Amino acid sequence: MTQHPIGFDSYDSMEGIAAIETSEPPPRFESWPGAKLIHAVYPGLLVAGTIALASTWLAQHYTAPVMLFALLFGMAFHFLHESGRCVAGIEFASRSVLRAGVALLGVRITLGQIATLGVVPVATVVVGVATTILFGLLLARRLDLPPMFGVLSGGAVAICGASAALAIASVLPRNENSERDTILTVVSVTALSTLAMILYPVFATSIGLDHKHAGVFIGGTIHDVAQVVGAGYMISPETGDIATYVKLLRVAMLLPVVFVISLMSARSGGERSRPSLPLFLVGFALLVLANSFGLLPRVAIDFANDVSRWCLVAAIAALGMKTSFKDLFAAGLRPVGLMVAETVWIGALVLVSVKTIM
């Protein structure tokens, strides 16, 4: 049994924020490809997968956000990340498994879906995403919060909730509060998205939006994909279809946004020594293109969607295990207030576009 201190670099997908204990694989497995990596990570991966399974079961039976269950259960097992055999697998799940899940999101999108929306909805989404991230950055500075938290939270609100938060966090410079900020963003954006799913359909119909305009409003404002689908189909099938396409356009914005943030992190002295395009974004783009040209059969798309969902839930569980309740509460209310303000910003911007331009 050996211990790897902070700066663990035996496997490039581990962050090394805690002491990682590893042991050599049994002799009969040493010659297998990746035997050392598999032996190092499987205990932590098994725990993250078990939490993901339990969270999914509870979410299906109690109609609650699966990400929230995974976070809370993960945080309850924070002690597993302090030392021991599970640390390596938890680190692996929070990075490599996460990036695999984000890359597989590309199968949800086609260029044809984006083209059917028209120019104004596309422009509204692009402006909404860009200005919400900029608004989060500027307001974070005014609230004396780290600027990168404004980028992280603004991206989560503007693009696709928890999935965007995880993707953006993976390319931001690392610091002692990185995991706490990511967890806080995921918890807040999930809660706000659930609240919006309940309130926005009532609001959209009460101000007289027709099915098309209501679809653009809901798809352009609610944070998570599942809540967009739920809210849209509460109004009508047409509204649900349009809301889903608009939301998928926002998901497609994940590629350029994360790439730009990655470049900015490199130039500002982040963890990357030189600008590079993360491989998971390359995978995301290739899957979008493959799906757009009809190269993926329906069974492959469904399978990739399922794998993506499981990867993201397991990654959330791993992030939960890396964060303590004490650290989370120490952040205070200002970060939550920032995300509420970002939600109001993108909601107001899309509503103005729907009412005055479309």
Side-chain angles (χ1 to χ4, degrees):
M1 181 81 69
T2 58
Q3 266 200 350
H4 297 269
I6 293 176
F8 179 82
D9 58 4
S10 295
Y11 312 112
D12 60 6
S13 53
M14 297 182 189
E15 297 162 11
I17 66 168
I20 298 176
E21 294 182 9
T22 62
S23 60
E24 293 298 319
R28 63 182 179 276
F29 296 126
E30 284 184 346
S31 61
W32 289 23
K36 290 186 177 181
L37 175 62
I38 294 171
H39 185 72
V41 304
Y42 84 85
L45 278 178
L46 186 61
V47 174
T50 302
I51 293 174
L53 183 63
S55 302
T56 301
W57 186 89
L58 286 172
Q60 290 172 347
H61 284 74
Y62 294 98
T63 60
V66 64
M67 295 294 192
L68 189 57
F69 279 128
L71 274 175
L72 295 177
F73 285 154
M75 292 172 71
F77 288 90
H78 172 65
F79 65 92
L80 293 176
H81 186 257
E82 294 178 342
S83 63
R85 285 280 284 121
C86 289
V87 175
I90 293 170
E91 294 290 342
F92 185 83
S94 69
R95 292 295 295 274
S96 293
V97 174
L98 159 65
R99 293 182 176 190
V102 173
L104 290 172
L105 288 175
V107 301
R108 299 185 181 187
I109 306 164
T110 67
L111 299 177
Q113 291 170 343
I114 296 173
T116 60
L117 294 174
V119 175
V120 175
V122 171
T124 299
V125 167
V126 172
V127 172
V129 169
T131 60
T132 301
I133 295 173
L134 180 60
F135 176 77
L137 174 63
L138 297 176
L139 187 57
R141 288 174 173 168
R142 293 294 299 271
L143 295 175
D144 199 26
L145 292 169
M148 288 301 98
F149 180 78
V151 173
L152 175 64
S153 59
V157 168
I159 302 173
C160 55
S163 300
L166 296 175
I168 292 170
S170 71
V171 298
L172 285 175
R174 313 300 300 175
N175 60 59
E176 60 182 5
N177 294 323
S178 294
E179 278 73 34
R180 184 201 68 184
D181 290 345
T182 303
I183 292 295
L184 185 60
T185 300
V186 171
V187 170
S188 300
V189 80
T190 301
L192 289 170
S193 186
T194 302
L195 188 62
M197 180 184 68
I198 298 170
L199 298 179
Y200 282 14
V202 177
F203 174 73
T205 54
S206 68
I207 63 173
L209 296 182
D210 60 22
H211 296 302
K212 178 183 178 181
H213 290 158
V216 174
F217 173 72
I218 288 173
T221 55
I222 298 180
H223 314 319
D224 286 315
V225 175
Q227 279 85 342
V228 167
V229 173
Y233 286 105
M234 283 182 192
I235 298 176
S236 72
E238 181 185 353
T239 299
D241 290 343
I242 294 173
T244 301
Y245 288 158
V246 173
K247 182 60 186 179
L248 291 177
L249 172 59
R250 289 169 68 194
V251 175
M253 292 293 294
L254 191 64
L255 176 62
V257 167
V258 175
F259 179 54
V260 169
I261 292 173
S262 176
L263 291 178
M264 292 175 62
S265 297
R267 291 178 180 177
S268 63
E271 63 178 358
R272 287 180 171 80
S273 59
R274 57 187 176 83
S276 62
L277 181 62
L279 288 179
F280 73 96
L281 291 184
V282 176
F284 181 97
L286 291 176
L287 286 173
V288 171
L289 292 175
N291 197 23
S292 298
F293 290 103
L295 301 179
L296 300 177
R298 184 73 250 175
V299 63
I301 294 173
D302 293 340
F303 177 75
N305 265 319
D306 289 339
V307 173
S308 175
R309 183 176 65 252
W310 280 105
C311 286
L312 292 175
V313 175
I316 282 283
L319 282 170
M321 285 186 279
K322 294 173 67 173
T323 306
S324 68
F325 285 102
K326 179 181 177 182
D327 292 339
L328 198 59
F329 288 130
L333 294 177
R334 285 179 300 168
V336 178
L338 171 63
M339 298 192 68
V340 171
E342 291 164 345
T343 299
V344 172
W345 171 272
I346 194 170
L349 188 148
V350 174
L351 183 61
V352 168
S353 175
V354 166
K355 296 287 286 185
T356 62
I357 302 176
M358 291 184 62

